[in-house]
Amino acid sequence: MDGTPDWERFDYGDGNHRLVIYLHGLNAEENRNRSLLKTVRSEMPGADIYSPRLPYSWGLSMVPLADVTFQLLKHVDELWASKQNRDGFHYEDVVIIGHSLGAVIARKLLVCAHGEVTWKSYPNTDEVWQPAPFEEELAGSVCRDWAPSVSRLVLLAAMSRGWSINDVRSPAWAALMRVGVLFGQLFPKQPAIFELRRGAPFVSQTRLQWLALVDPRGDLEPRDYQPSRVIVAQLLGTVDNAVSPDDTLDFALDNQDPTFFLIQVPSSNHVSLLDMTESSLASDPRAIRRQLFSTALTGSAQEIAAIATPREYVSEQLPPPPDYDVKHAVFVIHGIRDLGFWTQKIAAEIKRQSNGTVKSISPSYGFFAMAPFILPWVRRQKAEWFMDLYVQARARYPHAEFSYVAHSNGTYILARALEQNPACRFRHVVFAGSVVRSDYDWRTKIANGRVRKVLNYVATRDWVVAGFPFAVRSLRSFDLGGAGHIGFLDNSDAVANSMFIRGSHGAGIQEDHWDDIARFVLDGTVPQEDPSTHSPTQPSWIKRLGKWSPWLLLIATTTLLCFYLRFGYYALFTADSAGPAVGFIGLSWLIWAVLNKL
């Protein structure tokens, strides 16, 4: 399919002033949605109902969700204009309903309808900035005429935060999902369902854009257009095992919102939540669903609040309220083969020099060995892990600028996040032992205000970067490089390479540099080259290693692979006994175990 919704699925009412938009989930079978649409017609008898069949009606659909959103925007624009031409007046009320994946699209549609949010950076100036710019497909979107008329967003079994295998309670279901994820990596384009992983760009962008839309940012001049408060009612089945509570509830966005209501629907799972068939029995789960949905659809805020579940009853770990006084926060992220104990020590030095005014965030994604680091999709999952944290931090400190200090794989995480998420922005960035490509495009990100200054520590003897990331720099699929070995090629004033600090892969995060890192984070001061910590050049052997590393890696990999495959063929197909086969299996396990410890 080309990403264009089926325009014919439109049910005219009697010409009143209301438009209802319903966006289905992954499975768009007619019988699954029929009773819900009948309930909408019953509760809003005169409304026009637009329920397009969208191209993500099966899990492996390759149509980007941003394209789907863009097409929906155009079609609702046409509906708005045709209403004026047909009846002589516009819709006065627009209600958006979404189920499962469609619920994420519904929130995105509402965000994009209001256009890209811009704020004046300083009072009495013309300088503006975009806290959450849109994706390329949606860039430049302006506020639609129908956006102020949206009064309600009703979400059913939503995946607001994105799905994560780690939250799946069933071992069998988790194993099946891992096989599905591995299979999905084989496609040149990611299936639509992959765009809903927690931290994936579409989900992260939507969450950041929502924060920008609903936060008036009171310390700055107000926007030209302040959207009216929209009621958000989210219905969640009590036995929905397809989407975990951590996936469906996004308290980072909605915890402090007085017009967000969570409604738990008894005896309902991910699919049966849609079954609202009329029943004469008041105790029938279908009748209960129908009543709760009807209240969410047409009730006042007070009526919805009466049936809503308090958030503290659902989660024992609600995020703290936003701290509007914090103006600067810093992430400190570790790399591979590292538990990250040093991150808190650098964070402590930054806070000491700032007299405690800067907040630090130094989480750990656990020990990350060389074997998973080699796999591009595993590295990218770490970037998604970070983006989920970044959204939470932006919600926690709405008025703060963020800086970033990282080592090794932590540098890749930020580079990937910046590439995939236009709404991701940082003040000062410090890299050490960087595995990012030397030709990384800092210039564009600095020009559009997403990064202010970069400090990159280049070590004299970083054989780790010279030996592998630098060796695979010509393979774009690996998206790795040797910035920790030869520095960034960007020669702008905003990118500084500190060359060459004495030491190997971990040299840049040693105590000798903590003071300089803290000062750069706080005020952008680039450290002076000190003979006690710097060398004018690298040893000749590390230069030769970097020069010949692609060939050395190719020879070593080919030799080991040939030996492994030859032994495997002999052991499994030509050996006279089971001993070689057992030995081959043992060798395979040993290799994998060692690589996961290196």
Side-chain angles (χ1 to χ4, degrees):
M1 301 182 70
D2 64 357
T4 303
D6 182 357
W7 177 244
E8 300 301 323
R9 292 168 61 91
F10 189 79
D11 181 20
Y12 287 100
D14 60 8
N16 75 4
H17 297 262
R18 176 175 284 145
L19 172 66
V20 178
I21 303 169
Y22 173 64
L23 306 178
H24 60 74
L26 278 176
N27 193 319
E29 293 180 8
E30 291 290 335
N31 59 348
R32 285 192 176 182
N33 301 295
R34 185 177 294 115
S35 63
L36 179 144
L37 293 173
K38 288 181 65 176
T39 303
V40 173
R41 172 59 66 210
S42 174
E43 294 297 321
M44 299 176 170
D48 292 344
I49 303 176
Y50 175 42
S51 56
R53 185 180 180 88
L54 299 168
Y56 53 74
S57 57
W58 62 298
L60 295 181
S61 170
M62 301 296 180
V63 181
L65 298 185
D67 288 349
V68 174
T69 307
F70 179 70
Q71 293 292 337
L72 282 169
L73 283 170
K74 291 203 305 182
H75 287 173
V76 178
D77 289 344
E78 293 176 27
L79 276 175
W80 182 265
S82 64
K83 176 68 173 179
Q84 172 70 32
N85 296 332
R86 185 179 72 246
D87 298 328
F89 55 84
H90 289 306
Y91 294 109
E92 295 180 358
D93 183 33
V94 178
V95 176
I96 305 176
I97 307 169
H99 172 247
S100 189
L101 185 153
V104 182
I105 296 284
R107 195 186 285 254
K108 186 77 163 191
L109 181 65
L110 178 57
V111 167
C112 293
H114 288 91
E116 289 187 294
V117 176
T118 58
W119 288 322
K120 288 193 173 183
S121 295
Y122 301 99
N124 304 316
T125 70
D126 293 329
E127 182 182 352
V128 297
W129 69 299
Q130 293 177 319
F134 289 169
E135 297 86 332
E136 182 178 353
E137 301 87 340
L138 300 164
S141 295
V142 297
C143 183
R144 263 57 179 184
D145 292 339
W146 51 272
S149 298
V150 179
S151 64
R152 194 163 308 219
L153 184 62
V154 181
L155 311 175
L156 300 98
M159 290 184 277
S160 299
R161 193 181 170 195
W163 59 267
S164 171
I165 297 177
N166 294 332
D167 291 333
V168 176
R169 299 295 187 268
S170 167
W173 181 243
L176 183 62
M177 289 180 68
R178 286 189 172 89
V179 172
V181 168
L182 182 61
F183 179 70
Q185 303 295 342
L186 302 178
F187 289 95
K189 292 178 63 177
Q190 294 286 280
I193 190 65
F194 277 50
E195 292 195 65
L196 289 189
R197 285 189 300 191
R198 185 180 301 172
F202 185 83
V203 171
S204 299
Q205 282 283 111
T206 301
R207 298 171 74 196
L208 291 169
Q209 290 157 359
W210 184 268
L211 287 173
L213 177 69
V214 301
D215 179 18
R217 200 168 175 89
D219 62 333
L220 302 177
E221 289 189 12
R223 285 168 281 168
D224 294 333
Y225 172 68
Q226 177 66 37
S228 58
R229 182 67 72 174
V230 176
I231 290 177
V232 180
Q234 184 160 332
L235 284 73
L236 174 63
T238 55
V239 290
D240 188 340
N241 292 323
V243 181
S244 76
D246 288 337
D247 294 345
T248 191
L249 301 175
D250 195 346
F251 286 130
L253 270 60
D254 301 317
N255 187 40
Q256 303 300 320
D257 190 344
T259 57
F260 172 82
F261 303 98
L262 173 64
I263 303 170
Q264 293 202 90
V265 184
S267 304
S268 301
N269 60 32
H270 197 69
V271 175
S272 66
L273 185 64
L274 300 175
D275 187 358
M276 303 173 190
T277 307
E278 292 187 72
S279 174
S280 58
L281 297 176
S283 59
D284 189 324
R286 296 173 298 179
I288 296 174
R289 293 178 202 129
R290 185 184 182 94
Q291 180 58 47
L292 294 175
F293 175 70
S294 298
T295 303
L297 192 63
T298 62
S300 65
Q302 292 77 14
E303 290 171 332
I304 301 175
I307 63 171
T309 301
R311 293 159 222 189
E312 60 271 20
Y313 291 2
V314 179
S315 175
E316 298 176 351
Q317 298 180 338
L318 292 177
D323 189 339
Y324 294 94
D325 294 329
V326 176
K327 304 303 180 185
H328 193 182
V330 57
F331 284 94
V332 189
I333 307 294
H334 66 83
I336 64 171
R337 303 182 299 127
D338 183 359
L339 294 175
F341 298 144
W342 58 269
T343 60
Q344 298 182 27
K345 299 169 185 176
I346 288 183
E349 178 62 22
I350 295 171
K351 288 186 284 189
R352 185 190 68 79
Q353 291 195 24
S354 71
N355 294 319
T357 60
V358 173
K359 297 295 183 180
S360 65
I361 308 165
S362 51
S364 172
Y365 48 80
F367 186 84
F368 192 38
M370 180 61 73
F373 173 75
I374 294 173
L375 305 176
W377 57 87
V378 179
R379 289 197 308 275
R380 292 163 189 170
Q381 288 172 9
K382 301 302 181 186
E384 293 174 357
W385 162 85
F386 168 72
M387 282 307 302
D388 182 60
L389 293 176
Y390 178 76
V391 174
Q392 295 179 60
R394 285 275 290 267
R396 178 74 175 91
Y397 307 120
H399 296 173
E401 290 185 292
F402 289 87
S403 292
Y404 190 92
V405 178
H407 173 248
S408 190
N409 183 61
T411 68
Y412 172 86
I413 286 175
L414 180 67
R416 178 75 181 180
L418 286 170
E419 287 293 316
Q420 297 292 311
N421 300 272
C424 184
R425 59 194 312 127
F426 289 88
R427 178 178 175 178
H428 296 145
V429 172
V430 180
F431 281 177
S434 176
V435 297
V436 177
R437 296 182 59 85
S438 298
D439 58 358
Y440 187 78
D441 185 15
W442 288 112
R443 189 177 297 274
T444 300
K445 295 167 182 61
I446 291 168
N448 61 26
R450 296 180 56 206
V451 175
R452 191 176 301 175
K453 296 185 73 173
V454 179
L455 172 63
N456 179 48
Y457 283 106
V458 182
T460 54
R461 296 177 284 104
D462 195 337
W463 61 269
V464 174
V465 175
F468 178 69
F470 190 62
V472 298
R473 63 191 183 277
S474 60
L475 303 176
R476 290 284 176 176
S477 60
F478 274 90
D479 58 4
L480 294 172
H485 173 58
I486 63 172
F488 287 112
L489 302 181
D490 190 313
N491 58 1
S492 64
D493 294 336
V495 179
N497 291 302
S498 184
M499 303 169 67
F500 298 93
I501 58 172
R502 299 181 187 276
S504 57
H505 190 51
I509 57 174
Q510 298 305 308
E511 190 171 357
D512 290 342
H513 303 287
W514 292 357
D515 178 70
D516 290 337
I517 291 174
R519 280 191 283 115
F520 182 83
V521 167
L522 295 177
D523 56 28
T525 301
V526 177
Q528 298 296 316
E529 295 184 4
D530 185 340
S532 65
T533 58
H534 287 70
S535 171
T537 185
Q538 292 174 312
S540 58
W541 69 267
I542 198 74
K543 294 179 182 179
R544 287 194 294 269
L545 174 61
K547 180 179 180 180
W548 294 104
S549 58
W551 298 106
L552 294 174
L553 181 64
L554 178 63
I555 293 171
T557 303
T558 303
T559 302
L560 292 175
L561 188 60
C562 288
F563 169 78
Y564 179 76
L565 293 178
R566 184 179 180 85
F567 178 47
Y569 179 80
Y570 164 75
L572 298 178
F573 299 106
T574 64
D576 297 331
S577 65
V582 173
F584 176 72
I585 295 173
L587 175 64
S588 301
W589 176 86
L590 180 62
I591 292 173
W592 182 251
V594 170
L595 288 176
N596 273 281
K597 296 298 182 182
L598 289 178

